[in-house]
Amino acid sequence: MPEARDPEQTRERMLRCALELFTERGYEGASIGMIASGMGLTKAAVSYHFRTKEDILNAVVEPAFSDLEAFFEKWGTGPLKPAKRREAIAGYVRLLVKHRGLLAFLAKEGDRENPEPVMRQWPHVGEKVAQLFGGDQEDLSERLYFAAVIRGLALAPVKFPEVGDDDLREHLQIAAERMLARPRRRPA
């Protein structure tokens, strides 16, 4: 059966097209009509799968949220012991690489003054990751360190779109271990 006639494959193509347009033009600058045009479909065909542009955005980010939920269920809230921390870092790096397209969109769109409701959840994800790897540090320099590291790791895949997933994962793993697997500083 041709891809365009399989509803699930068509839906997935729509989501990929939407993410590309959201990243290129911003959420506000993309439209359902543009998604339809980019796929050679009618606006009604897109609306059959998604009533609103916000429904499309929710469907675009849902896989990442599901993966992150499973990640946090597995690793808890931290802080982790060194051996477990290294395993969690590997899992986190896999997620960053898997969702690198979404991270590119978030890099451009994530700091908007009035983000869509689903986008308001992203800052909390960074806080949870910092908590997992850094714990509940009272020391301001440690909190700043983990905030910068988590943000930097999430932005790194965006800076190297030409690098394949396997190479990116390997090198990002090395960088993440250098930054996150180091012994935690104890307050004086």
Side-chain angles (χ1 to χ4, degrees), residues 98-151:
K98 178 180 180 181
H99 298 290
R100 69 194 291 189
L102 181 60
L103 291 171
F105 167 61
L106 291 172
K108 289 183 177 181
E109 197 76 10
D111 292 330
R112 251 186 346 140
E113 190 172 316
N114 293 310
E116 299 307 307
V118 72
M119 302 301 284
R120 294 183 193 132
Q121 298 175 51
W122 284 108
H124 303 296
V125 170
E127 292 167 12
K128 286 177 77 171
V129 173
Q131 172 76 22
L132 178 67
F133 292 117
D136 54 351
Q137 295 286 324
E138 291 183 26
D139 182 65
L140 178 59
S141 65
E142 283 293 284
R143 290 194 339 250
L144 287 169
Y145 176 83
F146 281 101
V149 166
I150 298 307
R151 178 74 171 194

Side-chain angles (χ1 to χ4, degrees), residues 15 19-20 22-23 56-66 68 95-110 118-119 122 154-155 157-158:
L15 294 177
L19 180 56
E20 288 174 16
F22 291 163
T23 302
I56 296 171
L57 178 62
N58 290 337
V60 164
V61 300
E62 192 280 326
F65 277 127
S66 291
L68 285 163
L95 288 179
L96 293 174
V97 173
K98 178 180 180 181
H99 298 290
R100 69 194 291 189
L102 181 60
L103 291 171
F105 167 61
L106 291 172
K108 289 183 177 181
E109 197 76 10
V118 72
M119 302 301 284
W122 284 108
L155 291 175
V158 176

